[in-house]
Amino acid sequence: SGEGLNPDSGVFTCPVGGTYMFTVHLATHKDKKALLSLRKNGMDIASIINQDGKNKGNHMMGQCVLMELDPGDEVI
């Protein structure tokens, strides 16, 4: 709602200032590494990481982040 998300680029541009909640999920596959970062105006706010790549199976990870945004702030 509010048409802030550009589905082609994945960038959310805040239409109205306030507190926003972003929820991200990541699935890793056996023996693979993964990194997912949520960024506000180009700065990392939150990350999910699995660096060792020694998964013995598939894993799901998730994170929920509350952010104060001003009109025009971009989240990717």
Side-chain angles (χ1 to χ4, degrees):
S1 149
E3 300 179 12
L5 179 64
N6 180 327
D8 294 328
S9 68
V11 176
F12 174 79
T13 303
C14 179
V16 177
T19 303
Y20 287 78
M21 182 173 72
F22 295 87
T23 303
V24 293
H25 295 275
L26 174 68
T28 61
H29 297 282
K30 184 178 178 181
D31 300 323
K32 300 293 181 184
K33 297 179 182 184
L35 169 63
L36 182 141
S37 293
L38 194 61
R39 295 179 177 173
K40 175 184 171 184
N41 298 326
M43 296 179 55
D44 287 349
I45 300 297
S47 296
I48 301 172
I49 189 167
N50 173 15
Q51 289 186 330
D52 66 13
K54 296 179 182 177
N55 297 334
K56 300 211 184 307
N58 299 331
H59 297 309
M60 287 291 297
M61 294 174 267
Q63 192 168 51
C64 182
V65 178
L66 291 173
M67 279 191 245
E68 289 292 326
L69 300 178
D70 293 320
D73 282 346
E74 292 185 345
V75 178
I76 187 169

